[in-house]
Amino acid sequence: MGSGKKVARRDNAGSLSRKGLVLNYPQSLSSIERSQTGTVAGAIADLADPMVVTDRLTKRYGDFTALSNCSLSVARGEIFGLLGPNGAGKTTLIRSLLGFLRPTSGSCSVDGFDPMVDGVGLRSRVAYLPGDARLPRHMRGAGVLTFFSEMHPCGDVDRSLRVADRLELNVKTRVAFMSTGMRQKLALAVVLGLDTPLLILDEPTANLDPTVRAAVLDLVVEARSRGRTVMFSSHVLSEIEETCDRVAFLRKGELVRELMMSELFQRHRVTAKTTSVSAPASISVPDSLADRVRVSTITRANQELLCIDTDGDLSPMIGWLDSLQLVGMRIEPLGLRAVYDSVHMGGEVVV
Ligand SMILES: Nc1ncnc2c1ncn2[C@@H]1O[C@H](COP(=O)(O)OP(=O)(O)OP(=O)(O)O)[C@@H](O)[C@H]1O
């Protein structure tokens, strides 16, 4: 492979665009400093000195608002999930953060850099996996890894090769002859090989089999344990649930809910058959539990069930639940699915 710099071209934001996968590098290597965050994995989000801040960030295309007044912060060292249906504005938010889109109004910063003021400096702090990563088809996997690791100041080809190995990718294969999943693995090896303070992954596990998905999630968690901050979007609720410390829900361009995963794990749903004594109207909730319990009905497999959603420690509720003499009682963690349904489809759960 020849020198990548000869074939690369810069766009006016200083990014490297080589017919596909877009990574970014600064004009000057001396502007790079390694992250010294060292945040403990899974720690409560410390938002005193956040890695990412958006303030009423808005992006409009003509009359259409793709992102509306979005204000959020991502703490250093946390894994922050972005959830939302197709077209919710996740990619718009990510690309605005990176300076690829100019906001209509509002502002944002990454590690103290404003993308509209110093996009190059900002992008030197970030490794970004686009949702539609495309790679030079004529190159072999190893060549692609070398190319991008030489281009980025935080690159290290040995690290990229180790990631490729973890993902069981044959890097001798030409990109043109790779399957969709193999190309995704290669793009991941490029991005995860860059030792930047922030990692932004747009649907990183798309097109991957379950074993490789698990390996990718392990790599994400390892990145956090080395003090890196990770933002990632996914449509797979279980992987957000397993991996993220906090999650934001976007709907029609609006940030509608933020949730700490530790909060979610404190929520449970109790279901039971509806009988004359277990109809919602007959259930009396003690005052001590009133603000942590919500009683309703749901329909599952054409059967109406009594549904009790609880928030917080279950142990003080066990005696009360027992006193209700419910038939066919099941207790399950509420899970992200229920929250997602509640936020996006007007489900029964109030969260
Ligand atoms: N250049 C553009 N011009 C007009 N509308 C656009 C443009 N780019 C994006 N949009 C619209 O903005 C909205 C948000 O798109 P975005 O790609 O951010 O969604 P997303 O949440 O990432 O979706 P997905 O989960 O499908 O990737 C969509 O309705 C999309 O059609």
Side-chain angles (χ1 to χ4, degrees):
M1 180 185 108
S3 160
K5 279 179 180 150
K6 284 185 191 150
V7 292
R9 63 186 161 77
R10 283 171 193 263
D11 60 22
N12 58 10
S15 66
L16 169 68
S17 170
R18 198 177 186 284
K19 255 195 158 183
L21 181 70
V22 179
L23 297 173
N24 306 284
Y25 61 103
Q27 313 280 2
S28 153
L29 301 194
S30 62
S31 66
I32 305 300
E33 286 166 31
R34 291 283 306 272
S35 165
Q36 298 295 330
T37 52
T39 310
V40 178
I44 301 285
D46 174 4
L47 295 172
D49 175 27
M51 171 64 78
V52 174
V53 183
T54 72
D55 181 19
R56 288 164 289 166
L57 195 64
T58 299
K59 178 68 188 174
R60 288 195 199 93
Y61 297 103
D63 292 341
F64 179 76
T65 305
L67 190 66
S68 173
N69 279 314
C70 177
S71 296
L72 59 78
S73 297
V74 178
R76 290 174 191 275
E78 77 172 333
I79 304 180
F80 189 87
L82 281 177
L83 268 176
N86 295 131
K90 303 177 295 294
T91 304
T92 305
L93 168 60
I94 290 171
R95 293 184 70 78
S96 303
L97 282 177
L98 290 163
F100 295 141
L101 292 175
R102 180 175 285 277
T104 310
S105 60
S107 62
C108 57
S109 70
V110 172
D111 208 9
F113 288 81
D114 179 335
M116 291 299 112
V117 174
D118 185 0
V120 175
L122 180 147
R123 288 187 291 273
S124 72
R125 323 288 296 170
V126 186
Y128 168 49
L129 177 80
D132 58 348
R134 284 166 291 158
L135 297 158
R137 292 175 61 81
H138 65 284
M139 291 172 80
R140 294 181 197 280
V144 171
L145 297 181
T146 306
F147 175 80
F148 283 109
S149 62
E150 284 176 355
M151 277 296 162
H152 199 288
C154 297
D156 173 348
V157 70
D158 291 335
R159 200 167 39 228
S160 283
L161 286 166
R162 281 197 298 276
V163 175
D165 196 44
R166 290 266 301 266
L167 301 178
E168 297 184 0
L169 174 69
N170 180 356
V171 294
K172 292 182 184 152
T173 308
R174 241 179 245 288
V175 172
F177 302 139
M178 288 185 177
S179 67
T180 312
M182 287 168 79
R183 281 188 215 122
Q184 180 74 358
K185 288 182 190 182
L186 182 58
L188 279 160
V190 168
V191 171
L192 292 169
L194 304 174
D195 198 17
T196 50
L198 176 63
L199 196 50
I200 300 186
L201 308 172
D202 201 350
E203 299 187 36
T205 59
N207 303 312
L208 299 178
D209 68 51
T211 312
V212 183
R213 274 172 190 250
V216 172
L217 298 184
D218 284 348
L219 286 161
V220 167
V221 171
E222 284 169 28
R224 175 183 62 189
S225 64
R226 293 208 312 276
R228 301 178 72 189
T229 309
V230 185
M231 280 181 86
F232 88 86
S233 77
S234 173
H235 290 289
V236 185
L237 299 180
S238 58
E239 64 190 33
I240 294 266
E241 210 167 71
E242 279 167 37
T243 316
C244 291
D245 301 307
R246 229 150 41 97
V247 62
F249 294 84
L250 287 168
R251 180 180 59 196
K252 295 181 182 166
E254 298 206 354
L255 174 62
V256 286
R257 184 87 167 91
E258 277 182 74
L259 185 71
M260 293 284 298
M261 297 313 291
S262 52
E263 249 180 73
L264 180 69
F265 298 141
Q266 286 285 300
R267 292 170 194 265
H268 292 85
R269 171 167 282 186
V270 181
T271 52
K273 285 186 182 161
T274 319
T275 65
S276 55
V277 289
S278 63
S282 339
I283 303 280
S284 148
V285 182
D287 287 348
S288 59
L289 299 178
D291 58 346
R292 298 204 288 119
V293 165
R294 180 174 179 268
V295 181
S296 62
T297 56
I298 56 167
T299 305
R300 272 193 195 158
N302 291 329
Q303 193 186 4
E304 187 181 81
L305 296 175
L306 171 74
C307 172
I308 303 175
D309 288 326
T310 71
D311 183 8
D313 189 6
L314 258 185
S315 32
M317 303 185 193
I318 298 294
W320 169 64
L321 288 170
D322 187 41
S323 73
L324 299 176
Q325 298 187 316
L326 301 176
V327 178
M329 181 169 79
R330 286 186 57 168
I331 301 180
E332 49 201 340
L334 199 55
L336 214 42
R337 171 90 254 165
V339 182
Y340 189 90
D341 290 348
S342 163
V343 170
H344 292 295
M345 293 183 256
E348 306 94 339
V349 186
V350 175
V351 287

